Amino acid sequence: MPDQIVTAAKPVLTAEQKSAVHRLASEVVAAAIHQRTVNSQILDAVSAFSADGTGAATVMGAFVTLNTNGRLRACCGTVGNPMSLLQAVRHAAERTATEDHRFPPISPTEFSQLTLDITLLSDFEPLIQQGEERVAAVEVGTHGLKIVSGDQTGLLLPSVAVDAGWDSREFLNQVCRKAGLPVTSWMEADTQLLRFEGHTIEDKFDDSVLLPGEDRAAFDMTQSEVDALCRFAKANIMAQIQGAIPSCLGPECPDRSVNGIVVRLLLPGDTLGVTFSNFQVRAGLALQTTLLQLTQAAAVWLQSVQANQQSLSQMNVDCVVFADPAMHGIVGQSSVVELSTADRAIMVVEGQRRAWSFCGDKAVNELITNAAARIGNRADTASVYSFAVRSSATDISDSNVPVPQAGTPVRPPAVAGTFYPADAAQFLQVVNDCYAACTAPDDIIAASAVMVPHAGLRLSGRIAADVLNRIHIPNTVIILGPKHTRDGVDWAVAPHQTWQLPGCSVAADVPLAEKLAAQINGLELDAAAHAQEHSTEIILTLLARIAPKVNVVSIAMGGATFAQCQSFAAELAAVIRDLPEAPLLIISSDMHHFATDVENRRLDEMALAAMETGDPEELFHIVSSNNISMCGVIPAVIVMETLHAMQIPLNIRRIGYATSADAGGDTERVVGYAGVILAGD
């Protein structure tokens, strides 16, 4: 880092000048979205005062941030050498409008919901302090940070730390994370750190800059073209069923880029239909190519159900085309009251799951509610989108949310041969080795709950065995583990009667599984979520050795808010109270994943220390705020909350800890493993 940095002082702007700068940024955003030239009078208004000696002429860069209902919509900027305020703001606004590829392009329908913030950068200076002294050199609310280490850089504006509630240390951690560096890199002597100040201008997007009609989205597809697509789609489906070559281009509908296409088949007597769809909210889809792919999938499905010729001839084919995606915040906080449902559809998205609805006779909030109901457990944090739509159907909806699967009575091993040997004799030897390496317990503990890791037996089996070997195993065990795959429903209890392992099996408590699914809101019996999930299977390999007659209930948990964990725990506790004997609750969890051995141990210690407070909310907060990838944190929080609800004191004792490096793994990319007993005597 150079000893001296050429920088600009904090700009001093009057209220009138701030208003002119904000209006300029709004104008540049609108012009970029509509691909028109910027209003020269608005440019001149800023040019005039930038050269008048007020100190506003030069800055070190600028960022323009757009938010919708308090959620980030787009943010880009420019930073570096001293530059004119006009140049910095114009460049930042253009980039924000067109180059933030984390989000879909900004729709003109969003202008009324947007806030636009401008941050003018100044007073860059290196942090000459070293190590821990750098914490005191950073003032949250005043300073922004830039970090440079080799080819990796990261920058966070002053407002980021304020909005996130970070202290100085966490701000330093997070700027490292932004650069893709270990979070303690700021302490290293060869890491370059700059602090700077940001002068922020905040206000609603200035819609006075809009030209007539610029608050409406243009979608040049006509209704007659959609009707032609339906005829073309049906003809292609019929051709493929009959073995003919389908047409690639529909002559009555020009090709274009869209954001989603749906083909729905309605056979005679069917009121719901079967849908085939493809969505690409950010980059877009080629209409004709995507439609061809969907008709191919539809033809394969019709052949699989052996639809007869009469049904095919009477089959109705609907097409829905989506364009101009707009973002409206999250469910429960979205503000789209001015949206017309006559030509726009609502979509609710949470992770990989989406549900959408189009009906011009229904209000926006009703469409949001209907779509959110299909998402399920995490709908309250799901994002709300709207799309310009051309549809042959006046009332149509769909989702890709999985339907629970009954599965087979016996659940075969999914990770035998990878996480442990598939050969029965070799499997038994590895399990015996895990127990042979354990410390012989002085007494058997009557525990209410434990936490054990679920990696391959050679990596974490000894720690898990050491915990299980110390406790009394009752007749029934409930294992709560993370859901590592996208398969199945979010919160799934296994419906199987038996879990098969090499040379042995473990019985399941099906009546208890059914009772849990009936009494815990959002929990469903689903085999699909457990088909390839290893978080229970690994625990069973060890349980089968010391408690072969145990009955098991397996729950795989996707994401959840803390409030949802509390609700789940209260309902789980109510079920347990009605049982003649309390089950053992097993948390299946590894600790942090894929940091260096030193960093992994630091983060794992934070999580374990939080757990040892006995406060599940503290554990949830520490793990989430520090981006600790403890995969079973949701099960851990639920189990701790369940014990609280049952008024069982949490006497938490750590039994063992290791990382994959201790088993001979790479020290640069490790996983942590911990064994913990909760509420033991």
Side-chain angles (χ1 to χ4, degrees), residues 216-237:
R216 297 186 296 274
F219 188 17
D220 60 355
M221 190 172 193
T222 66
Q223 194 62 43
S224 63
E225 288 175 335
V226 175
D227 295 337
L229 279 183
C230 295
R231 295 190 295 270
F232 175 64
K234 183 172 183 179
N236 260 355
I237 292 170

Side-chain angles (χ1 to χ4, degrees), residues 589-594 600 603 623 626-632:
S589 179
D590 292 340
M591 300 303 291
H592 188 71
H593 293 57
F594 307 141
N600 227 83
L603 293 173
V623 169
N626 290 280
N627 295 307
I628 301 173
S629 56
M630 176 184 175
C631 56

Side-chain angles (χ1 to χ4, degrees), residues 657-670:
Y657 175 81
T659 72
S660 53
D662 294 319
D666 182 5
T667 59
E668 293 302 308
R669 186 176 168 83
V670 309

Side-chain angles (χ1 to χ4, degrees), residues 63-258:
F63 278 76
V64 170
T65 304
L66 297 175
N67 290 292
T68 300
N69 295 317
R71 288 173 66 88
L72 180 65
R73 183 62 180 87
C75 179
C76 290
T78 181
V79 60
N81 296 319
M83 62 192 80
S84 73
L85 183 149
L86 176 64
Q87 176 190 9
V89 171
R90 182 170 184 175
H91 185 54
E94 287 174 347
R95 292 194 62 216
T96 299
T98 59
E99 295 183 21
D100 194 337
H101 301 300
R102 297 172 294 177
F103 306 99
I106 297 165
S107 166
T109 61
E110 298 179 65
F111 284 139
S112 63
Q113 298 176 265
L114 293 175
T115 59
L116 186 152
D117 301 341
I118 305 157
T119 305
L120 303 174
L121 309 184
S122 66
D123 298 303
F124 276 71
E125 59 180 344
L127 286 185
I128 59 174
Q129 297 83 355
Q130 295 295 317
E132 286 287 339
E133 294 179 354
R134 289 177 166 178
V135 175
V138 177
E139 183 178 340
V140 171
T142 298
H143 296 133
L145 289 173
K146 181 179 180 181
I147 190 169
V148 180
S149 179
D151 295 332
Q152 294 172 275
T153 65
L155 182 145
L156 290 175
L157 299 176
S159 60
V160 175
V162 175
D163 293 342
W166 297 333
D167 59 17
S168 297
R169 179 181 299 276
E170 186 58 27
F171 196 16
L172 287 161
N173 291 344
Q174 292 297 333
V175 78
C176 293
R177 195 179 301 279
K178 180 70 177 292
L181 297 166
V183 294
T184 54
S185 296
W186 58 268
M187 299 182 66
E188 297 174 5
D190 58 350
T191 298
Q192 300 175 359
L193 274 169
L194 288 169
R195 69 183 183 187
F196 60 88
E197 295 190 20
H199 180 69
T200 304
I201 304 171
E202 303 173 309
D203 207 342
K204 288 177 61 64
F205 176 86
D206 187 350
D207 57 10
S208 71
V209 304
L210 299 177
L211 301 179
E214 285 192 339
D215 59 347
R216 297 186 296 274
F219 188 17
D220 60 355
M221 190 172 193
T222 66
Q223 194 62 43
S224 63
E225 288 175 335
V226 175
D227 295 337
L229 279 183
C230 295
R231 295 190 295 270
F232 175 64
K234 183 172 183 179
N236 260 355
I237 292 170
M238 297 298 289
Q240 291 170 84
I241 290 175
Q242 295 164 4
I245 298 175
S247 300
C248 294
L249 297 174
E252 299 178 76
C253 185
D255 200 8
R256 48 170 56 86
S257 178
V258 296

